[in-house]
Amino acid sequence: MNRDEIKQRIEENAFLPAFEQLYGTKKEVLTAQKERYRKAIERFTELYPQREELSVFSAPGRTEIGGNHTDHQHGCVLAAAVQLDAIAVVSFHEEGVIRIYSEGYGSFAVELSDLSVQNNEKGSKAIVRGIISRFAEMGVKVGGFDAYTTSDVLAGSGISSSAAFETLIGTIIDRHYNEDRAGAVEIAKIGQYAENVYFGKKCGLMDQMASSVGGLVFIDFADTEKPVIEPFSFDFEQAGYCICVTDTGGNHVNLTPDYVAVRSEMEEVAAQFGKEYLRQISEEEFYKELPKLRKSCSARAVLRAAHFFGDNRRAREEAEALRAGDRETFLSLVQESGDSSANLLQNLYSTSAPKEQGISLGIMVSKRILGKKGAVRVHGGGFAGTIQAFVPLEMTDTYVRELERIFGNGSCYVFRIRPVGGVEVTAGV
């Protein structure tokens, strides 16, 4: 669509159905999104004035609801896409290069003539090169495009800005150059591949899958090539609760060794059984061999393995409780998961910076506010960053006000579940 026509259609509210699907029906939110998209198109025009034909894409952040550090052990997770997203204004061409300007991060270009791993290349450029490489291996011929991206999935916020960006790029390529043949599940796997191989981060698949598939999903990663994905719906607001995620701050820069240690210690336990990862071992077998494991592994590794078995089971039980409309059981399981992360997984703070305990502080404050109502837990990778709380609607204002009094204005997000993953945003949809 011509850029002037897109701007006109946005002003005429032709994009309103799409915006309502992605962001909800609150008038102030829709007005803000309308202005956000208009500004994005104007910024694209400033950067690439020669480009006339434009397309617009969106990919959501995600919230982890159940299964903390279970995905990388081929376990089960419960996750949901949320209304915060990354958007891209794109113009396609056949110049053999992808140029991207990301608001807040600047510009980079990837030449399609060289898709090999660049050892010194990091960040978004490495991710894009990895995604293109995977599509090329699938036989997809990517011509090129210019793009401007902007995101309210803040980096380090625990909502997975990286997965949103990976889903965004994957969706752009699959939609335009592959006629949507890869689909949401494969796009998620392509994003993980790029992050693992080109960026060098050994992440699991939950973040990408929740962002790409959208909605509320239970995922069983027993076979990561063919994960079992069970989408279902549950209206938290109708049940009387909202999902609040609070950024408690903390520095993520030096936390990579902490994240790596969780995975490596779990796999250290699995190796005692001659296996690669914990999902290949039964919970009963694990507990039967505790005396031997105490001698061959560190106590922390054993405790982290115990967390995996408990949270892997709880993720499925949480999904079953939501399907049955049993909110009390669900909230009890969430609280059990939070206690397990604190006591067994031990990812509320880094042992390298024991005085930085924002997550622990946030959980303490949340429990004081909520009492026996709702539930709270660490959210995402942990060690610094975010907590998640399920808050009764009548307590939402009080909860947000108190958490932001402590952690700063804008630190507490109230989420709605977004029903779709990565999409092209079009008028009349």
Side-chain angles (χ1 to χ4, degrees), residues 43-237:
R43 185 70 177 116
F44 177 92
T45 301
E46 292 173 2
L47 293 164
Y48 311 106
Q50 74 277 22
R51 303 300 182 194
E52 294 284 346
E53 293 298 312
L54 308 182
S55 301
V56 183
F57 295 83
S58 163
R62 68 95 184 102
T63 182
E64 169 200 289
I65 293 175
N68 193 223
H69 279 281
T70 54
D71 60 332
H72 53 69
Q73 295 302 301
H74 293 227
C76 300
V77 299
L78 183 62
V82 299
Q83 78 273 20
L84 300 185
D85 68 343
I87 64 172
V89 179
V90 181
S91 184
F92 297 97
H93 52 68
E94 296 298 322
E95 297 175 7
V97 62
I98 289 176
R99 307 179 189 93
I100 297 178
Y101 185 98
S102 292
E103 190 64 39
Y105 298 93
S107 62
F108 63 88
V110 176
E111 297 286 343
L112 304 183
S113 58
D114 183 3
L115 299 179
S116 62
V117 176
Q118 310 293 308
N119 292 328
N120 297 323
E121 188 173 73
K122 296 296 181 184
S124 298
K125 187 174 182 179
I127 293 293
V128 171
R129 194 183 302 274
I131 291 172
I132 303 164
S133 170
R134 199 60 157 178
F135 272 106
E137 289 176 7
M138 295 162 54
V140 178
K141 187 179 184 304
V142 178
F145 57 85
D146 295 341
Y148 166 78
T149 72
T150 182
S151 177
D152 54 16
V153 187
L154 302 177
S157 64
I159 314 167
S160 198
S161 57
S162 58
F165 181 77
E166 290 156 15
T167 297
L168 186 67
I169 300 302
T171 301
I172 291 168
I173 294 172
D174 192 45
R175 178 75 169 166
H176 187 78
Y177 289 109
N178 197 38
E179 298 179 343
D180 293 323
R181 282 190 289 260
V185 172
E186 194 62 35
I187 287 172
K189 289 158 65 176
I190 290 169
Q192 184 202 28
Y193 168 82
E195 195 159 342
N196 286 178
V197 177
Y198 280 71
F199 186 72
K201 181 179 179 182
K202 296 296 182 181
C203 65
L205 189 53
M206 179 191 71
D207 294 353
Q208 292 86 350
M209 197 66 75
S211 176
S212 187
V213 173
L216 182 63
V217 289
F218 171 81
I219 310 171
D220 187 337
F221 289 115
D223 181 354
T224 54
E225 288 301 310
K226 296 180 180 179
V228 177
I229 304 166
E230 300 175 11
F232 65 101
S233 60
F234 181 84
D235 192 327
F236 282 98
E237 288 193 10

Side-chain angles (χ1 to χ4, degrees), residues 213-272:
V213 173
L216 182 63
V217 289
F218 171 81
I219 310 171
D220 187 337
F221 289 115
D223 181 354
T224 54
E225 288 301 310
K226 296 180 180 179
V228 177
I229 304 166
E230 300 175 11
F232 65 101
S233 60
F234 181 84
D235 192 327
F236 282 98
E237 288 193 10
Q238 189 173 2
Y241 290 85
C242 66
I243 305 172
C244 293
V245 170
T246 301
D247 185 356
T248 67
N251 190 342
H252 290 74
V253 173
N254 298 316
L255 294 180
T256 298
D258 293 290
Y259 299 132
V260 171
V262 171
R263 181 170 184 165
S264 63
E265 288 180 13
M266 287 183 177
E267 291 173 355
E268 176 189 346
V269 173
Q272 304 308 307

Side-chain angles (χ1 to χ4, degrees), residues 246 331-332 334-343 348 358-378 387-392 395 399 402-403 406-407:
T246 301
L331 292 172
S332 176
V334 169
Q335 199 58 63
E336 285 180 23
S337 174
D339 292 343
S340 178
S341 291
N343 299 323
L348 300 198
I359 288 177
S360 301
L361 178 62
I363 290 174
M364 180 273 290
V365 171
S366 297
K367 287 183 175 181
R368 181 174 180 270
I369 298 169
L370 297 174
K372 295 183 178 180
K373 301 178 180 179
V376 62
R377 63 192 283 273
V378 65
I387 61 171
Q388 179 188 71
F390 293 86
V391 181
M395 300 178 70
Y399 182 84
E402 182 64 3
L403 269 291
I406 296 168
F407 295 106

